[in-house]
Amino acid sequence: MINLNRKIGFFSLRVWGLILNFIGNALAIYGAIGFISDGSRFPVLIIGLVLTVSCIVILAKP
Amino acid sequence: MEALDLWILPSPLERYIYTGLSWGWGKKHESLARFDVFTGLFLSYVIVNYLVIGVFAGTLHKLGTHPETAPELARALMPLLGQTWSQVLFYIGFLAVPVTTTIGMSLACAIAIHEAFGWKPDVNTWRWRVCALLPQIGFLAVWYPRPVWLVITIGAFSSLTNNIVGWSFYILFNDKRVLGRYKNRSYLWNPGILIQITLINCIAIIYVFNRLGWWIK
């Protein structure tokens, strides 16, 4: 099991997870904008969504 | 979304962990705290807010107006309530802010700053008074020609910074050094906060994308 309180660099894994989640959110929205506008950036949308869901599942551990 | 943020993120910490512990509350008071959070925050913030927003949007949308000053806003309610009562209700609403939210916000600010710096809270000191007055920036509207835009500007700033608050609460709820035995141990609460954090992240990201002109045209 991952110890989310372990420090790596400046922050704990929990904080790095939140930063990664934020990047995933931004990618998902950026991908969604392209996909809705002209059908482009579908891979970006999928990467963003997978990153977001993975972060939520991993960070859910108390 | 703002209403949900206000309810989900700070409610257990503010209402139970911080205030409760300082009053000597224990495990037997937890059910009272939950009832308080539900009736005091969920009903007022989520349900009533949505009703007010819905009614207001419905009224203004039908009229096709975009009021920018207080008298214009009061006038926009006229078709619904009549000339006198629209003004009475509008100004009661304006009065409700200083007698409820503003006081709570000031106290929360003073408590938070004293707690952060390890100062002993004493309401008779100038330090307490200054800390309590720090968030009171509403007076700036006096010099601003279109006060409603000040609300919009503050709202935009809030959209950009709300996710930082969400992140902080998530980290705090899972910090054993700070909360001890009150640290979050639930596998349900964390996903709830994380979904909420994701939503408020999205609000900030959409706001920035909008400014950059990357939003759907």
Side-chain angles (χ1 to χ4, degrees), chain A:
Chain A
M1 288 289 268
I2 308 169
N3 177 13
L4 292 171
N5 297 321
R6 190 157 60 95
K7 244 186 148 182
I8 294 180
F10 284 114
F11 306 118
S12 67
L13 271 175
R14 243 179 236 287
V15 179
W16 286 118
L18 287 173
I19 293 168
L20 210 61
N21 179 42
F22 186 80
I23 294 168
N25 302 158
L27 284 175
I29 292 172
Y30 187 67
I33 293 167
F35 187 67
I36 293 166
S37 301
D38 52 16
S40 64
R41 297 186 213 147
F42 186 66
V44 181
L45 171 63
I46 295 298
I47 292 168
L49 287 176
V50 169
L51 200 58
T52 300
V53 174
S54 308
C55 285
I56 291 176
V57 170
I58 294 166
L59 295 175
K61 186 177 173 264

Side-chain angles (χ1 to χ4, degrees), chain B residues 7-8 11-12 15 30-48 189:
Chain B
W7 176 55
I8 293 177
S11 53
R15 288 298 175 104
E30 279 181 20
S31 56
L32 285 174
R34 285 196 195 101
F35 178 78
D36 187 30
V37 165
F38 181 78
T39 53
L41 285 166
F42 179 73
L43 288 181
S44 57
Y45 275 115
V46 184
I47 307 289
V48 177
W189 193 258

Side-chain angles (χ1 to χ4, degrees), chain B residues 18 110-115 118-125 127-128:
Chain B
Y18 186 84
I111 291 169
I113 293 174
H114 278 68
E115 198 66 27
W119 298 335
K120 193 177 180 296
D122 183 355
V123 293
N124 294 317
T125 59
R127 187 165 65 191
W128 176 274

Side-chain angles (χ1 to χ4, degrees), chain A residues 14 22 25 33 59-62, chain B residues 170 184 190 198 201 214-215:
Chain A
R14 243 179 236 287
F22 186 80
N25 302 158
I33 293 167
L59 295 175
K61 186 177 173 264
Chain B
Y170 167 76
N184 176 40
N190 267 356
T198 302
N201 277 348
W214 292 359
W215 195 235

Side-chain angles (χ1 to χ4, degrees), chain B residues 50-62 67 73-74 76-77 80 90:
Chain B
Y50 281 137
L51 286 175
V52 170
I53 291 166
V55 169
F56 215 77
T59 315
L60 295 182
H61 184 70
K62 274 182 194 160
L73 277 168
L77 288 172
L80 194 70
F90 191 76

